Amino acid sequence: MIAQLEAMQGAKAVDTLQASAVAFFQFYSTNHAYFDLLVTKRAELVRESGVDIVQDFEEAGRGAVGPIAKAYSAGIESGDFRRRDPEKMAFVLRAVAIGMAVGFREGNLKFPDDVALLTDLVLNGIIQS
Amino acid sequence: MIAQLEAMQGAKAVDTLQASAVAFFQFYSTNHAYFDLLVTKRAELVRESGVDIVQDFEEAGRGAVGPIAKAYSAGIESGDFRRRDPEKMAFVLRAVAIGMAVGFREGNLKFPDDVALLTDLVLNGIIQS
């Protein structure tokens, strides 16, 4: 997934963000047990693991956030995105993607049909301008 | 939480949505074990429960989404919000709130400091207009 993102260096920031979200939704739908453990058992996993594992774990987390922050920065520089802290925004966008993935799994939201609704929300917000 | 929402009938739609999100973040931070079960063990919970419990369960889910959909509808009618399916939007906003609550718990996002960043994202999106 990260390799895919890095290959998108030349792409528009919006396309990079959407592609990363879709890649995550697809990955999550077949691998959600891993994420479930991270959410519900994080403290236990960290406590019961060696220092190396915890470092790998933290790096994997940063690995997902880094490319999103980079895409956000690129979007600010091109004048497309609002000027916000790119790393904070990466964590917020990651949070949005995690919640949406859970919604897809519950079945209240449909993948890929409802991705467009989420993209529109993230890009334009709900306020009628 | 739902009673709080219903008491806000006269409030602006934006205020209602933000208040419901904040109420949820506070509730989630002290009661996340319940949500964790819903996410990771939903199929088992439904399978091992009687018909009445499953109905209560579905109603509780709708109970949270109904007031959000109503607030979204009110925002469309007042001309504040973009015209989208209010129920779909309620599920998307609920998904966003769930993801954000997980982010607060992981510690990558801070409650209540980062609520403003999320509110801005949901209201205005990331596109520089």
Side-chain angles (χ1 to χ4, degrees), chain A:
Chain A
M1 187 157 74
I2 293 164
Q4 279 174 339
L5 289 179
E6 283 172 353
M8 288 190 73
Q9 295 263 3
K12 278 196 67 178
V14 168
D15 298 335
T16 306
L17 290 182
Q18 190 171 15
S20 67
V22 168
F24 170 68
F25 296 146
Q26 286 167 335
F27 184 75
Y28 179 89
S29 68
T30 48
N31 299 278
H32 59 73
Y34 167 75
F35 291 95
D36 294 344
L37 273 179
L38 292 193
V39 170
T40 58
K41 299 283 178 196
R42 191 181 192 287
E44 289 89 332
L45 285 174
V46 169
R47 198 171 53 231
E48 291 171 13
S49 304
V51 173
D52 288 1
I53 304 272
V54 173
Q55 274 178 354
D56 286 354
F57 188 85
E58 301 287 336
E59 258 165 52
R62 275 199 297 277
V65 164
I68 302 175
K70 216 162 146 183
Y72 197 90
S73 291
I76 293 175
E77 274 166 46
S78 63
D80 290 323
F81 293 171
R82 291 171 198 276
R83 196 166 287 278
R84 301 281 179 269
D85 181 296
E87 188 162 345
K88 273 276 178 202
M89 287 304 290
F91 276 115
V92 172
L93 292 170
R94 170 178 173 274
V96 167
I98 287 173
M100 200 70 184
V102 172
F104 287 140
R105 194 164 130 222
E106 288 178 337
N108 295 312
L109 297 164
K110 304 288 172 209
F111 179 82
D113 301 20
D114 292 329
V115 171
L117 204 65
L118 179 69
T119 303
D120 178 51
L121 170 68
V122 168
L123 295 183
N124 303 308
I126 62 176
I127 293 288
Q128 178 69 271
S129 53

